Amino acid sequence: MVVTATARSRQETGTAHSFDVEEVRRDFPGLHQEVHGHPLVYLDNAASAQKPQSVLDALLSIYRDDYANVHRGVHTLSQRATDRYEAARETCRRSLGASRHEECVFVRGATEGINLVAHSFARPRLQPGDEVLVTQMEHHSNLVPWQMVCRQAKAKLRWIPLLEDGSLDLDRYRSLLSERTKMIALVHISNALGTINPIREICRLAREKGVPVLVDGAQAAPHSKIDVEDLGCDFYVISGHKVFGPTGIGVLWGRHELLSAMPPYQGGGEMITNVTMESSDFHVPPHRFEAGTPHIAGAVGLAAALEYVSRVGWEAIAQHEHRLLTAATRRLAAIDGVELVGTAPDKAAVVSFTVQGVHPHDIGTILDHEGVAVRAGHHCAQPIADHYGVAATTRASFAFYNTLDEVERLGRGIETVLDMFGDPNP
Ligand code: PMP
């Protein structure tokens, strides 16, 4: 890969730059390849994003230069690895707007963070008849764990329904919130619809009733600056692989007083202060929740990713992605037979759609032959598909490295699909 002087300085020195999409693309080696003889158009970012060179460099360097197990060692390599691992936690703290680094627990991803809170925080507090409130637009990761703990505790799972455009019915939220509500868990940005939920307002209303809120930020972290204190939530989870970092690492942020009062989720090494044959004393957070050897390189790579995006600049990212969303929405909506699924006024750059008479898997396969990578299915949010009465949709999800030319390639790809399947309105 050719790294220009400006690109190198953005990757390494942290100086702010005006946004130039072609320059940014040079930082991502994975984008520069052909698929079926066409330049790759990668529009599956909501599933997993490509990685900038600075993340690949960080992974190589922790394994090559500073690799040993963390926390337990007195030798130099172990101390260097520990320093890099803990420095990564500090970067996560800064990136999430948290006040204490002890509030950032390294987990495998958003899924593990949510399960940890469901089982360690909510489960012991839930009594029969209590209610947990989720939404109809949750990823299965933020639905199934709550179904499980509600069943165990004989608590009731309730949900805020969707309006037709894919936003939440906030009047229903107000009426569902009651003394029985013991926990709210909801997504910040929907992976299937792109809807951005009004988290600040939802947390404000929850706080008036003293109800803790977990926010699933898996899709928000790649698109916007997160500030957990400003949002007013109690728990927030992100996944590294969606925010241009490695797979198998994520962060659970939780308020210190809540984490401190929670029992461990898993037992093992690293999470104890003293062990006898009969019992153990547990570490303080975050180590209490990080049993076993952690994903050291993952944490370091995630920190490199978070530093990278903050150097690109959230303002520039938001403006560019807004242009992409507007262009993609217009281009697809203008094609006869295409129906957009999810048209909330406040949306991230995610476009889900159906094409009359063509199964999304066929669309995905034909687009792949044109070099365009999209996702087809229910996007692990089956209740959303049920709400719209469809089995599946095709989803194009954008990142800041996508271009308006790529939007056009998507549009032309859909037209090719329609040509192959015939006119939907003969
Ligand atoms: N929540 C949302 C909104 C998601 O989009 C995803 C991943 N598609 C998850 C949770 C789960 O993330 P992970 O698989 O990284 O745990």
Side-chain angles (χ1 to χ4, degrees):
M1 191 204 51
V2 181
V3 180
T4 61
T6 20
R8 197 176 298 118
S9 66
R10 184 184 48 253
Q11 292 212 39
E12 291 163 9
T13 65
T15 17
H17 290 270
S18 61
F19 185 79
D20 172 350
V21 70
E22 290 307 327
E23 192 185 303
V24 164
R25 289 176 68 80
R26 283 195 282 274
D27 296 338
F28 289 81
L31 294 177
H32 307 285
Q33 55 182 300
E34 293 202 339
V35 170
H36 297 298
H38 301 279
L40 168 67
V41 176
Y42 189 76
L43 301 180
D44 194 20
N45 295 287
S48 261
Q50 298 296 324
K51 319 302 172 199
Q53 186 63 43
S54 59
V55 168
L56 306 179
D57 291 345
L59 291 174
L60 180 63
S61 112
I62 181 79
Y63 278 123
R64 187 190 55 199
D65 305 326
D66 295 321
Y67 190 74
N69 209 326
V70 291
H71 295 141
R72 291 185 283 256
V74 291
H75 63 81
T76 301
L77 274 188
S78 174
Q79 283 169 6
R80 289 215 302 254
T82 304
D83 288 349
R84 289 187 70 176
Y85 181 71
E86 291 302 330
R89 197 189 305 279
E90 172 57 20
T91 301
C92 293
R93 180 200 69 72
R94 221 175 323 112
S95 301
L96 293 176
S99 46
R100 302 174 64 158
H101 62 83
E102 301 98 309
E103 295 181 325
C104 295
V105 180
F106 283 122
V107 286
R108 273 196 302 130
T111 304
E112 189 176 52
I114 294 164
N115 275 280
L116 196 163
V117 174
H119 290 276
S120 190
F121 176 75
R123 176 69 189 89
R125 287 169 175 74
L126 287 174
Q127 301 293 327
D130 285 347
E131 293 180 0
V132 172
L133 191 53
V134 294
T135 81
Q136 206 181 356
M137 68 167 81
E138 296 312 313
H139 187 280
H140 298 162
S141 301
N142 199 29
L143 175 58
V144 181
W146 300 110
Q147 292 173 342
M148 289 163 68
V149 292
C150 282
R151 190 157 302 134
Q152 288 165 12
K154 297 190 169 47
K156 191 153 192 230
L157 186 71
R158 313 213 58 183
W159 52 90
I160 309 166
L162 282 176
L163 297 172
E164 204 40 42
D165 67 357
S167 44
L168 287 178
D169 185 340
L170 291 179
D171 289 337
R172 238 358 236 131
Y173 168 55
R174 285 186 197 93
S175 64
L176 280 164
L177 200 51
S178 76
E179 318 69 62
R180 290 185 299 278
T181 316
K182 292 295 178 304
M183 181 85 212
I184 298 172
L186 86 163
V187 71
H188 194 165
I189 295 183
S190 159
N191 65 309
L193 299 169
T195 308
I196 304 174
N197 286 322
I199 298 296
R200 210 175 281 113
E201 175 64 2
I202 284 169
C203 289
R204 191 184 65 74
L205 293 168
R207 225 171 18 251
E208 281 175 5
K209 301 255 189 227
V211 184
V213 181
L214 173 141
V215 178
D216 171 0
Q219 296 295 340
H223 297 293
S224 52
K225 169 90 186 96
I226 306 300
D227 188 331
V228 290
E229 293 295 350
D230 181 53
L231 289 172
C233 56
D234 299 281
F235 298 100
Y236 197 96
V237 296
I238 66 168
S239 280
H241 66 103
K242 295 190 197 280
V243 66
F244 315 99
T247 316
I249 188 75
V251 180
L252 160 67
W253 169 82
R255 290 197 182 283
H256 194 257
E257 64 273 21
L258 301 184
L259 290 177
S260 301
M262 284 159 58
Y265 177 49
Q266 295 181 324
E270 302 253 350
M271 49 75 74
I272 43 75
T273 51
N274 190 48
V275 178
T276 66
M277 282 314 293
E278 289 78 26
S279 69
S280 305
D281 298 325
F282 306 127
H283 232 312
V284 291
H287 306 296
R288 178 184 302 176
F289 302 107
E290 294 181 4
T293 301
H295 189 359
I296 304 161
V300 168
L302 171 57
L306 294 171
E307 280 163 359
Y308 177 84
V309 279
S310 100
R311 288 198 296 274
V312 173
W314 288 113
E315 194 61 38
I317 289 174
Q319 282 173 13
H320 181 68
E321 289 188 358
H322 183 70
R323 275 194 295 274
L324 294 171
L325 175 64
T326 307
T329 305
R330 278 205 195 117
R331 181 69 173 87
L332 296 192
I335 302 175
D336 255 3
V338 170
E339 187 141 354
L340 300 179
V341 178
T343 51
D346 208 5
K347 267 190 71 172
V350 172
V351 184
S352 280
F353 56 95
T354 57
V355 178
Q356 201 183 323
V358 192
H359 194 281
H361 285 139
D362 293 329
I363 299 170
T365 306
I366 296 166
L367 288 179
D368 182 54
H369 280 271
E370 301 291 316
V372 181
V374 295
R375 190 149 290 249
H378 52 53
H379 317 295
C380 295
Q382 236 177 304
I384 296 180
D386 292 346
H387 172 76
Y388 286 101
V390 294
T393 66
T394 307
R395 179 187 70 189
S397 54
F398 297 85
F400 59 79
Y401 48 55
N402 290 123
T403 67
L404 291 170
D405 284 347
E406 291 182 319
V407 171
E408 181 51 29
R409 289 266 311 274
L410 171 67
R412 270 190 267 132
I414 302 297
E415 283 161 354
T416 306
V417 169
L418 282 165
D419 286 346
M420 290 172 77
F421 278 79
D423 185 353
N425 303 307

